[in-house]
């Protein structure tokens, strides 16, 4: 006879059957590997790669070694400059797209280059910027230069290519939030005497906070963990944390140090993600109020004498 | 008032000119590469139009095609696995309360937000700790892992619009769990499942960083091959390959968009 399950047991059983295959997969190929990295970051370095089972903070202490500390500082400034670059370009782009009639087409244009393999996009920049590259060839033809100038293998090239690679990550979330923004609020602000810039900064920005934080995180995290871009278009002084991690694993074979640096990347990424989720949630809670406020503002707009401050 | 309108116009044109400049910025590198793929000589000096690099790409690059074959095998197997596991999990997590639910929910978002280097390194260290030889299997496992969150996310989004009372109706009419799943739930969420699957295929074909860590000898995928070509000398064959890849992705995207639309319309 078939056993009849209570609703509670039934839920437990069905949930388990549906969700556990994925849960097991992630535990095996994500949680455990990440756990191993956490563990290894506290162990002693093995002589020929691997680790020795001895608890120590050596790996973390090594990170303060000046040559590594320099890389951490560099990674920070390169990431911040590139992320800000992405966002400053993305805000007007998202604004224009939200106002445009051809949204689908514009979205498509932004996404196409993004579909192209990332290595190929880096390669494209190499062929544009290198000594015998496109830019130099044109400048020489025009008589501006007599011989090729090295435009690549420096930090400037790294920032440029990083912005190029991650720009769509900033444009897409900003476009989505600006698209939901009530543009009548800008008119209201202007009618109440705000300047163009003031109305954008004081009225629009607070309303697109979640888009801004998503754009920031979606660009900052991958840029902070960048590996290929500094490797392929950077010079000797463009190494970033991602490159250290790889070098420590494959060349120097210092697994604890690689793990410790991985912990730093993981930690910063998680802080960023929680911050993003937090701003998103707060905005959701406030959204009811904002609609109300916008209604009020709209009403007020029509009752206030024009031009009155 | 008029001054305001005028100002608003100039504001608009600033943001629109930024947008157009950005689109040009995004496309210029690709145009340069595609343009020079039709150049008969190797460098950036335009010689005359020729299809020589396409000939080399198609007929004289067996190792490139071997890498492409690996890429396809990995993309298909990992996407199918990820779609299967991710879809089921999304259904379970959306509708049922069970032990371990919050663990699975949290863990399913993390691989999406951590830098690729971390996923790659942790898997490399894991595989060497448990003494699994690097090769096609390890690439498959890694790709399934980074694909899963996307399927899970897209199917979950689709399930949010799903009316649970249809499931209850099916049960009241005597359908058992597997009938409900295959005849009611799956047909309704199939657009979400398919777009998740497509996203997996794209991401799998495109991934370099994670694959770089977990691949072994002979299991190189196309991005790895491209990497070795870029690293050890520039070859115009990559220019030709770029154009073929762009065309390929666009054709696939358009076909599937149409396909997805018909599926969405019929369900």
């Amino acid at each position: 006879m078939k056993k009849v399950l209570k609703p509670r047991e039934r839920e437990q059983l069905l949930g388990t059957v549906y969700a556990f295959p994925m849960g097991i997969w992630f535990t095996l190929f994500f949680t455990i590997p990440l756990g191993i990295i956490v563990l290894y970051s506290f162990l002693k370095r093995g002589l020929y790669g691997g680790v020795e089972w001895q608890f120590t903070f050596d790996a973390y202490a090594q990170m303060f070694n000046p040559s590594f500390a320099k890389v951490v500082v560099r990674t920070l400034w390169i990431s911040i400059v590139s992320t800000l670059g992405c966002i400053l370009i993305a805000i007007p782009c998202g604004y224009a797209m939200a106002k445009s009639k051809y949204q689908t087409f514009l979205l498509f244009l932004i996404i196409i280059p993004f579909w192209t393999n990332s290595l190929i996009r880096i390669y494209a920049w190499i062929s544009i910027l290198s000594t015998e590259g496109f830019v130099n060839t044109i400048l020489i033809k025009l008589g501006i230069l007599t011989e090729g100038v090295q435009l690549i293998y420096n930090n400037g090239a790294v920032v440029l290519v990083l912005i190029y690679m991650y720009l769509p990550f900033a444009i897409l979330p900003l476009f989505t939030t600006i698209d939901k923004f009530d543009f009548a609020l800008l008119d209201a602000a202007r009618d109440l005497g705000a300047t163009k810039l003031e109305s954008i900064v004081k009225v629009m920005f607070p309303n697109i906070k979640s888009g801004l934080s998503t754009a920031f995180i979606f660009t900052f995290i991958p840029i902070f963990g960048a590996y290929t871009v500094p490797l392929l278009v950077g010079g000797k002084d463009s190494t970033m944390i991602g490159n250290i991690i790889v070098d420590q694993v494959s060349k120097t074979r210092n697994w604890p140090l690689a793990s410790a640096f991985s912990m730093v990347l993981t930690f910063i990424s998680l802080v960023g993600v929680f911050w993003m989720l937090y701003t998103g949630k707060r905005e959701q809670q406030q959204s009811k109020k904002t609609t109300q406020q916008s209604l009020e503002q709209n009403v007020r707009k029509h009752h206030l004498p024009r031009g009155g401050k | 008032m008029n001054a305001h309108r005028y100002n608003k116009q100039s504001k608009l044109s600033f943001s629109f000119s930024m947008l157009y400049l950005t689109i040009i910025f995004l496309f210029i590198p690709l145009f340069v590469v595609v343009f020079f793929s039709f150049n008969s000589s190797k460098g950036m000096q335009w010689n005359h139009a020729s299809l020589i690099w396409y000939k080399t790409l198609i007929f004289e690059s067996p190792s490139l095609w071997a890498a492409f074959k690996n890429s396809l095998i990995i993309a298909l197997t990992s996407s199918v696995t990820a779609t299967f596991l991710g879809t089921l999990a999304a259904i379970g997590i959306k509708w049922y309360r069970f032990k371990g639910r919050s663990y699975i929910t949290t863990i399913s978002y993390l691989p999406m937000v951590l830098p690729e280097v971390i996923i790659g390194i942790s898997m490399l260290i894991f595989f060497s700790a448990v003494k699994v030889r690097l090769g096609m299997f390890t690439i498959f496992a890694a790709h399934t892992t980074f694909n899963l969150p996307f399927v899970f996310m897209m199917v979950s989004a689709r399930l949010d619009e799903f009316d649970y009372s249809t499931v209850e109706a099916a049960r009241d009419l005597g359908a058992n769990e597997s009938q409900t799943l295959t005849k009611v739930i799956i047909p309704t969420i199939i657009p979400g499942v398919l777009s998740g699957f497509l996203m997996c295929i794209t991401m799998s074909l495109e991934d370099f960083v994670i694959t770089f860590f977990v691949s072994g000898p002979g299991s190189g995928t196309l991005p790895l091959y491209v990497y070795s070509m870029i690293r050890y000398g520039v070859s115009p064959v990559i220019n030709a390959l770029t154009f073929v890849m762009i065309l390929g992705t666009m054709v696939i995207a358009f076909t599937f968009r149409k396909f997805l639309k018909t599926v969405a319309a019929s369900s």
Side-chain angles (χ1 to χ4, degrees):
Chain A
M1 203 186 116
K2 212 174 157 190
K3 197 181 149 202
V4 181
L5 290 169
K6 284 181 209 151
R8 189 80 200 83
E9 288 170 349
R10 199 183 131 79
E11 270 211 26
Q12 174 73 37
L13 178 76
L14 282 175
T16 309
V17 169
Y18 276 123
F20 265 59
M22 185 178 89
I24 292 167
W25 185 281
F26 273 135
T27 307
L28 191 59
F29 293 114
F30 182 73
T31 316
I32 294 179
L34 209 59
I36 292 180
I37 289 222
V38 178
L39 180 71
Y40 276 16
S41 71
F42 293 107
L43 293 180
K44 214 177 141 202
R45 170 187 184 181
L47 221 47
Y48 306 102
V51 285
E52 274 174 38
W53 290 90
Q54 198 180 338
F55 182 83
T56 165
F57 284 107
D58 275 3
Y60 290 95
Q62 269 180 52
M63 291 200 304
F64 292 97
N65 177 324
S67 63
F68 291 135
K70 229 167 72 189
V71 177
V72 175
V73 173
R74 182 187 304 131
T75 308
L76 266 177
W77 80 252
I78 288 186
S79 319
I80 290 173
V81 170
S82 326
T83 307
L84 287 183
C86 282
I87 290 183
L88 285 181
I89 299 173
I91 292 173
C93 290
Y95 184 88
M97 284 167 73
K99 285 235 154 178
S100 170
K101 277 180 270 175
Y102 311 103
Q103 286 186 349
T104 331
F105 179 63
L106 287 171
L107 268 176
F108 192 65
L109 283 183
I110 299 284
I111 295 173
I112 289 179
F114 202 50
W115 276 342
T116 319
N117 189 291
S118 58
L119 281 171
I120 298 244
R121 281 180 288 159
I122 298 175
Y123 166 79
W125 278 106
I126 298 177
S127 61
I128 286 178
L129 297 175
S130 65
T131 330
E132 281 111 40
F134 183 63
V135 171
N136 274 311
T137 315
I138 285 189
L139 290 179
I140 290 171
K141 269 234 169 93
L142 293 175
I144 298 171
L145 291 175
T146 42
E147 56 179 59
V149 178
Q150 187 77 281
L151 300 167
I152 203 175
Y153 308 126
N154 54 51
N155 290 340
V158 174
V159 171
L160 175 76
V161 178
L162 282 173
I163 291 181
Y164 180 79
M165 301 288 283
Y166 294 102
L167 195 53
F169 279 106
I171 295 180
L172 297 178
L174 278 169
F175 158 69
T176 334
T177 34
I178 296 179
D179 196 34
K180 283 184 205 138
F181 174 69
D182 181 3
F183 284 101
L185 287 177
L186 283 186
D187 290 337
R190 299 294 303 283
D191 287 342
L192 291 169
T195 63
K196 256 190 316 188
L197 196 67
E198 270 178 347
S199 67
I200 299 251
V201 173
K202 291 193 178 156
V203 178
M204 192 171 87
F205 281 11
N207 281 295
I208 57 165
K209 250 189 211 153
S210 73
L212 284 169
S213 63
T214 312
F216 184 81
I217 293 309
F218 273 39
T219 44
F220 186 79
I221 292 180
I223 290 177
F224 198 70
Y227 163 68
T228 21
V229 175
L231 182 74
L232 292 172
V233 303
K236 273 185 201 135
D237 289 322
S238 311
T239 332
M240 290 171 70
I241 294 183
N243 305 86
I244 296 196
I245 297 181
V246 179
D247 282 351
Q248 291 304 324
V249 166
S250 55
K251 289 185 194 145
T252 328
R253 299 211 148 258
N254 188 342
W255 287 18
L257 186 58
S259 305
F261 271 117
S262 305
M263 290 324 301
V264 173
L265 276 190
T266 310
F267 179 73
I268 290 184
S269 313
L270 290 183
V271 169
V273 170
F274 283 119
W275 173 68
M276 177 183 82
L277 292 178
Y278 175 73
T279 41
K281 228 177 218 165
R282 259 202 9 208
E283 193 159 289
Q284 254 174 15
Q285 284 164 357
Q286 283 173 351
S287 68
K288 265 187 198 149
K289 233 196 249 165
T290 8
T291 337
Q292 214 174 6
Q293 277 167 355
S294 79
L295 271 175
E296 276 173 28
Q297 258 163 4
N298 266 325
V299 171
R300 245 193 275 152
K301 182 180 133 189
H302 294 293
H303 284 86
L304 274 175
R306 289 286 155 98
K309 293 210 171 181
Chain B
M1 189 59 214
N2 272 334
H4 278 185
R5 285 280 161 263
Y6 177 74
N7 279 342
K8 212 177 132 204
Q9 283 290 314
S10 70
K11 175 94 243 151
L12 267 171
S13 62
F14 166 72
S15 59
F16 270 97
S17 40
M18 273 302 276
L19 178 63
Y20 297 140
L21 282 177
T22 304
I23 290 173
I24 294 170
F25 172 64
L26 287 175
F27 276 90
I28 273 187
L30 301 179
F31 275 130
V32 169
V33 169
V34 170
F35 180 72
F36 282 99
S37 73
F38 296 105
N39 191 1
S40 64
S41 74
K42 236 182 164 184
M44 284 291 169
Q45 290 280 356
W46 180 258
N47 207 349
H48 60 87
S50 135
L51 290 175
I52 176 166
W53 305 116
Y54 289 89
K55 207 183 122 207
T56 323
L57 170 72
I58 295 168
F59 299 109
E60 290 149 37
S61 314
S63 44
L64 187 148
W65 291 106
F68 182 59
K69 196 181 125 204
N70 282 347
S71 271
L72 278 184
I73 295 172
I74 298 284
L76 282 174
T77 48
S78 72
S79 303
V80 168
T81 317
T83 308
F84 179 73
L85 295 177
T87 304
L88 284 186
I91 294 173
I93 283 182
K94 173 83 194 161
W95 287 328
Y96 304 111
R97 302 284 168 274
F98 55 94
K99 282 190 194 100
R101 183 173 177 272
S102 55
Y103 163 72
I104 295 178
T105 321
T106 319
I107 214 75
S108 64
Y109 286 107
L110 281 180
M112 198 161 51
V113 296
L114 289 186
E116 287 181 298
V117 172
I118 304 290
I119 316 254
I121 286 284
S122 64
M123 288 199 119
L124 170 67
I125 289 183
F126 168 70
F127 286 132
S128 57
V130 295
K131 305 221 161 45
V132 173
R133 259 189 53 202
L134 299 180
M136 290 295 264
F137 171 75
T138 48
I139 303 181
F140 157 77
H143 282 220
T144 309
T145 309
F146 72 68
N147 278 335
L148 259 173
F150 291 92
V151 179
F152 180 75
M153 192 180 70
M154 295 186 107
V155 177
S156 297
R158 180 80 198 176
L159 280 168
D160 283 341
E161 298 158 15
F162 188 98
D163 189 358
Y164 187 68
S165 52
T166 45
V167 173
E168 283 168 340
R171 292 217 180 104
D172 288 346
L173 293 170
N176 63 27
E177 192 57 34
S178 69
Q179 283 170 327
T180 322
L181 181 66
T182 51
K183 298 215 167 120
V184 179
I185 305 176
I186 300 282
T188 322
I189 59 170
I190 200 77
V193 176
L194 282 178
S195 40
F197 177 75
L198 275 184
M199 200 158 174
C200 291
I201 296 268
T202 342
M203 284 192 311
S204 180
L205 286 178
E206 129 91 34
D207 181 76
F208 164 69
V209 177
I210 297 174
T211 319
F212 177 67
F213 292 109
V214 293
S215 70
S219 61
T221 57
L222 189 58
L224 286 181
Y225 185 80
V226 171
Y227 173 74
S228 65
M229 277 173 101
I230 298 176
R231 201 112 168 88
Y232 308 106
V234 173
S235 157
V237 175
I238 304 183
N239 295 349
L241 178 68
T242 305
F243 192 43
V244 172
M245 280 169 90
I246 294 177
L247 281 185
T249 19
M250 282 179 64
V251 168
I252 292 173
F254 273 117
T255 341
F256 274 98
R257 225 174 93 103
K258 255 195 183 155
F259 174 63
L260 276 183
K261 267 189 186 158
T262 24
V263 171
S266 66
S267 69

